[in-house]
Amino acid sequence: MLDIRRLRLLRELKVRGTLASVATALNFSPSSVSQQLALLEKEVGVELLRKTGRRVTLTPQAEILVDHAAQILDSMERAEADLAESLTTVTGTVRLAVFQSAALALVPDALTILGRDYPEVRIEMTQREPETALYETWARDFDLVIAEQYPGHAAPRYPGLDRMQLTTDAIQLAVPEDRLGGADIRSIADTASCAWVMEPRGAASRHWAEQACRQAGFEPDVRYETADLQAQIRLIESGNAVGLMPELVWTGRTPTVRLLDLPGMPRRTIFTSVREAGSRRPAIRACREVLERTARLVA
């Protein structure tokens, strides 16, 4: 009988790439991970790992076991969901990954409702960039992710992850108030000589913003990079930059900058994603239902 815990370690190595990353993710020491995988090799009687420079790679036989390990983990997750469904009380922990504007606009009210309607559900929230969070949810670091997709820029898809739309929001050009230098800006084309603030390279919002500027006929002068939308707003309202802002960031507050509509009125899509194997778990279903309710209130 193969040891399920060791099979999981093998899959983790496939997912994370290095023994050190597996050890960090599971709170083991690298030597402990290596020892357990060596024991798995003895159990199956074939070579599973080969050294390639300073790294290890999986053999074809290891890849076979990884596929089976994924199926076993999914089966165990479905069993846990079935067990939870048999109970009369919704309980358990939901590990939630969320990006900043959704964390500000949706999560506080959702937590209030969950605390009232589902007091035995514990939410553990971590802020993550959507692309990273989707991968980490597939890798089983999180149970539920709130992610985003920009027009014409598909968010990554992973096998076994579903997707349910929460809401959409407008993307607008944010410029300083007239007295701070924004008086002459009427369109994105008028910002060709302005300093821009954008998220760091690699973010979907950064790629989309650069493309919007190029379609308007110029390469943006990105002087400021930050993933913190509150910092972006401060730079814009102080007259030091312009930027593109999703409407959701203004939930519950009055805009402190001038907001201009873009051609075609583009909208960002906000959605939730979970592993299909655990999607029926009552705590996850409750969390999704409450998030949908909250999104309708702010739409």
Side-chain angles (χ1 to χ4, degrees):
M1 181 72 69
L2 295 175
D3 188 298
I4 293 175
R5 292 170 298 178
R6 291 170 189 154
L7 285 175
R8 184 192 175 194
L9 287 176
L10 188 65
R11 180 188 178 273
E12 290 289 336
L13 182 57
K14 169 70 174 180
V15 168
R16 303 183 191 279
T18 66
L19 294 171
S21 297
V22 173
T24 299
L26 301 182
N27 293 318
F28 290 169
S29 67
S31 61
S32 177
V33 173
S34 182
Q35 289 169 7
Q36 291 300 310
L37 291 174
L39 289 172
L40 181 61
E41 278 191 324
K42 288 184 179 180
E43 285 179 350
V44 299
V46 297
E47 183 184 35
L48 298 177
L49 305 177
R50 290 177 184 156
K51 284 193 174 182
T52 306
R54 299 179 65 181
R55 299 170 66 93
V56 293
T57 59
L58 275 63
T59 65
Q61 291 71 34
E63 297 283 0
I64 292 171
L65 288 181
V66 165
D67 289 341
H68 284 284
Q71 294 175 38
I72 291 168
L73 290 171
D74 283 345
S75 181
M76 292 175 65
E77 193 165 12
R78 284 192 292 270
E80 291 171 351
D82 288 344
L83 183 61
E85 277 191 308
S86 73
L87 304 176
T88 57
T89 302
V90 179
T91 185
T93 297
V94 177
R95 299 167 300 167
L96 171 66
V98 60
F99 62 97
Q100 188 185 42
S101 57
L104 293 170
L106 299 177
V107 173
D109 286 345
L111 291 176
T112 299
I113 295 170
L114 282 164
R116 182 192 68 209
D117 295 352
Y118 302 99
E120 294 191 42
V121 173
R122 173 186 171 90
I123 306 297
E124 297 179 351
M125 187 195 81
T126 303
Q127 185 176 314
R128 282 284 195 278
E129 290 305 303
E131 293 87 350
T132 302
L134 284 165
Y135 179 83
E136 291 176 334
T137 302
W138 172 76
R140 301 176 185 274
D141 292 339
F142 297 104
D143 302 306
L144 170 65
V145 56
I146 305 176
E148 64 181 356
Q149 180 167 293
Y150 277 76
H153 190 283
R157 286 191 176 272
Y158 296 97
L161 285 190
D162 71 3
R163 187 172 293 195
M164 291 177 58
Q165 181 172 312
L166 272 181
T167 188
T168 66
D169 65 341
I171 306 167
Q172 297 172 300
L173 175 63
V175 303
E177 295 287 354
D178 291 353
R179 61 185 177 81
L180 293 175
D184 296 330
I185 300 175
R186 294 291 178 267
S187 70
I188 196 168
D190 295 332
T191 67
S193 61
C194 296
W196 275 76
V197 59
M198 294 185 185
E199 293 199 33
R201 292 188 183 278
S205 60
R206 171 64 174 265
H207 180 265
W208 195 88
E210 288 177 334
Q211 291 300 311
C213 292
R214 290 164 187 163
Q215 289 169 7
F218 67 96
E219 188 69 24
D221 177 12
V222 184
R223 297 188 200 176
Y224 314 111
E225 290 188 0
T226 175
D228 186 343
L229 293 184
Q230 301 306 308
Q232 289 192 22
I233 290 170
R234 189 71 189 97
L235 286 167
I236 296 167
E237 68 185 9
S238 63
N240 289 294
V242 299
L244 294 178
M245 283 285 148
E247 188 178 24
L248 202 65
V249 77
W250 304 110
T251 300
R253 61 183 291 186
T254 301
T256 54
V257 298
R258 284 182 57 226
L259 298 172
L260 305 174
D261 291 333
L262 298 175
M265 305 288 286
R267 299 184 71 83
R268 176 183 65 163
T269 299
I270 297 155
F271 62 92
T272 62
S273 192
V274 304
R275 290 182 300 282
E276 292 172 351
S279 61
R280 295 196 329 275
R281 185 152 65 93
I284 290 177
R285 285 163 50 182
C287 191
R288 275 185 140 172
E289 184 270 326
V290 168
L291 284 169
E292 289 168 4
R293 247 195 289 171
T294 305
R296 286 194 296 270
L297 292 174
V298 304

